[in-house]
Amino acid sequence: MSLGCNATKLAEYLMRKYPLADSYPYKSWSYPQGFYLWAIVRLFEKTGDKRYYDYVLAYGNTHVGDDGTISCFVGDCLDDIMPASILIWLYTKTGEERFKLAAKKARKALDSYPRNSKGGFLHGKHLPGEMWADGLFMELMFLVRYGKYIGDEENSYEEAVKQLSLYFENARKDRTGFVYHAYSDNPYTKWASPLNGCSPEVWSEGLGWYGMALVEALGIIPENFNGREEIRNQLILLCEDLLKTQDWNCGLWYQVVDKPGFPRNFHDTSGSAMFVYTLKKAYDLLLIDNEYAKEVIDKGYKAILSKCSAGIDGGYNISDACDGLCVQNNYDQYVDYTRCVNAKEAVAAVLWALIACEEGTDTI
């Protein structure tokens, strides 16, 4: 039972639990803060409630100095780029030059960031050859907004299209719309198949990062931009396969998405929430027009609420997801990875999905 959980109640509980977003797991400047704070941004945009604005601004004030220096920013992993997208939003709201300068520093770090042999951004500087779906989302949340709100639209959008296309070309599973969790052109990468360089499975949350990267980019890149239609086609293929693989009995998707009924495979709350968000935004943006999608979204929304239960602290607990799962070596490691309550990615993903279904999506 969700016991009356909705987007507003969940957000307000999280803001009480984490009075400063810095304390949201797992460290003060990384992708979880960016992911979580974008949900708070959207609640502010939908409701106009200044508490949400002040909460996000407090994060910016904590990390950005007058000269645009970002405290705790290292830039050695794409996870580090993601929260800089929040600074772009703060610049659009405050007009403060320090937020623009900070965004430029993050963009400069991305300009010199290492790539694999095909031009894909490495997930981390310490991971030679490796491109992950996770990192695709992290970089593009920043990059397309930088193009729209700071400048250099042509190069920013061109890079976004390139990264999405590269990932699809190299990590696509067979002729489906699904992609593997990661791929590598480094022959010494332990998890990479010697045949195609891909990781072994289509992991739910990894596919969720990929889907959200697509809809977030498509929500901002202009319709006539070269290559946009190509990535729209990627999204259409993905959505078609998501509609086919939802477990209609419960409304969720499996941890290894394309292997329902396989031993120990379970329904993953985090990836399922990401899929609901992806489908809802794609539908709202008229990027897909499948009427069945509305039923899938509604059923998925209700299923996500069923994973939100009352906590002893008066808030909500979100169950059946993994926390910080990196690329695994085989099927068993994906399905046997420890599940926990309130995994940081799951909490934010659920909040994104609830806001999208209850308040609608947007193009900010």
Side-chain angles (χ1 to χ4, degrees):
M1 289 283 297
S2 67
L3 298 175
C5 183
N6 61 28
T8 300
K9 289 179 180 178
L10 179 58
E12 294 189 353
Y13 162 65
L14 292 170
M15 290 166 65
R16 291 196 305 274
K17 185 175 182 180
Y18 306 108
L20 291 175
D22 266 43
S23 59
Y24 190 81
Y26 70 114
K27 55 185 180 179
S28 68
W29 179 274
S30 193
Y31 75 94
Q33 280 74 29
F35 193 28
Y36 164 52
L37 284 172
W38 268 109
I40 305 302
V41 163
R42 284 166 175 152
L43 277 175
F44 170 71
E45 295 284 354
K46 295 296 183 184
T47 67
D49 189 329
K50 192 172 180 292
R51 292 176 303 157
Y52 299 133
Y53 172 83
D54 290 342
Y55 187 78
V56 180
L57 180 60
Y59 185 75
N61 287 340
T62 298
H63 284 279
V64 180
D66 290 340
D67 63 351
T69 299
I70 309 171
S71 66
C72 302
F73 176 77
V74 179
D76 60 353
C77 180
L78 294 178
D79 292 348
D80 232 23
I81 300 294
M82 164 62 174
S85 61
I86 290 292
L87 306 184
I88 296 172
W89 181 80
L90 284 171
Y91 171 67
T92 68
K93 293 299 175 183
T94 66
E96 293 186 29
E97 189 68 13
R98 62 185 176 123
F99 291 126
K100 184 177 183 179
L101 291 172
K104 287 186 172 183
K105 290 178 186 293
R107 183 68 174 91
K108 187 175 182 180
L110 200 56
D111 282 341
S112 59
Y113 194 82
R115 302 171 185 248
N116 63 19
S117 63
K118 296 178 180 177
F121 288 119
L122 303 186
H123 184 68
K125 292 182 178 181
H126 62 297
L127 299 170
E130 299 185 27
M131 192 177 185
W132 297 13
D134 319 38
L136 194 64
F137 174 77
M138 308 310 165
E139 79 205 34
L140 295 188
M141 281 293 291
F142 172 78
L143 195 57
V144 294
R145 287 169 176 80
Y146 187 93
K148 181 173 181 178
Y149 297 110
I150 305 297
D152 198 25
E153 284 185 273
E154 184 77 18
N155 288 330
S156 296
Y157 297 159
E158 186 177 286
E159 187 69 75
V161 169
K162 174 183 177 179
Q163 295 299 315
L164 286 164
S165 299
L166 272 174
Y167 201 83
F168 185 67
E169 291 165 10
N170 290 280
R172 183 183 186 185
K173 181 167 185 180
D174 303 324
R175 298 182 64 82
T176 70
F178 289 161
V179 294
Y180 290 102
H181 183 184
Y183 86 91
S184 177
D185 61 5
N186 176 5
Y188 300 104
T189 301
K190 184 177 179 180
W191 48 256
S193 165
L195 298 177
N196 58 15
C198 292
S199 57
E201 301 295 347
V202 177
W203 172 47
S204 176
E205 195 177 286
L207 191 63
W209 293 127
Y210 169 72
M212 292 191 301
L214 282 168
V215 291
E216 290 299 296
L218 287 164
I220 288 179
I221 296 174
E223 288 192 16
N224 61 352
F225 192 82
N226 185 40
R228 186 181 186 276
E229 192 62 24
E230 179 183 342
I231 61 173
R232 181 188 177 184
N233 288 338
Q234 290 177 224
L235 177 69
I236 291 170
L237 287 172
L238 171 64
C239 290
E240 287 174 350
D241 283 333
L242 288 176
L243 296 180
K244 295 173 188 174
T245 49
Q246 182 188 42
D247 185 343
W248 194 250
N249 290 319
C250 70
L252 299 168
W253 285 261
Y254 282 90
Q255 169 81 338
V256 176
V257 181
D258 57 344
K259 292 185 176 178
F262 275 54
R264 303 182 313 286
N265 205 0
F266 64 91
H267 297 107
D268 172 42
T269 303
S270 185
S272 295
M274 293 177 177
F275 298 154
V276 168
Y277 176 84
T278 297
L279 290 167
K280 182 63 165 63
K281 184 155 186 173
Y283 190 84
D284 288 352
L285 291 173
L286 306 179
L287 296 169
I288 58 172
D289 58 6
N290 188 320
E291 288 303 305
Y292 176 59
K294 289 194 294 186
E295 297 180 50
V296 169
I297 293 163
D298 184 59
K299 195 166 186 70
Y301 165 71
K302 292 173 181 175
I304 291 165
L305 283 176
S306 76
K307 295 294 183 179
C308 303
S309 59
I312 60 174
D313 60 355
Y316 299 96
N317 288 325
I318 296 168
S319 59
D320 288 329
C322 301
D323 197 334
L325 192 157
C326 296
V327 186
Q328 303 297 298
N329 296 316
N330 53 52
Y331 171 86
D332 289 340
Q333 290 181 359
Y334 275 103
V335 298
D336 293 334
Y337 199 91
T338 302
R339 281 176 270 174
C340 64
V341 175
N342 292 333
K344 57 185 176 292
E345 299 89 352
V347 171
V350 165
L351 191 52
W352 274 49
L354 297 186
I355 294 167
C357 292
E358 295 165 9
E359 303 285 349
T361 55
D362 49 52
T363 56
I364 56 172

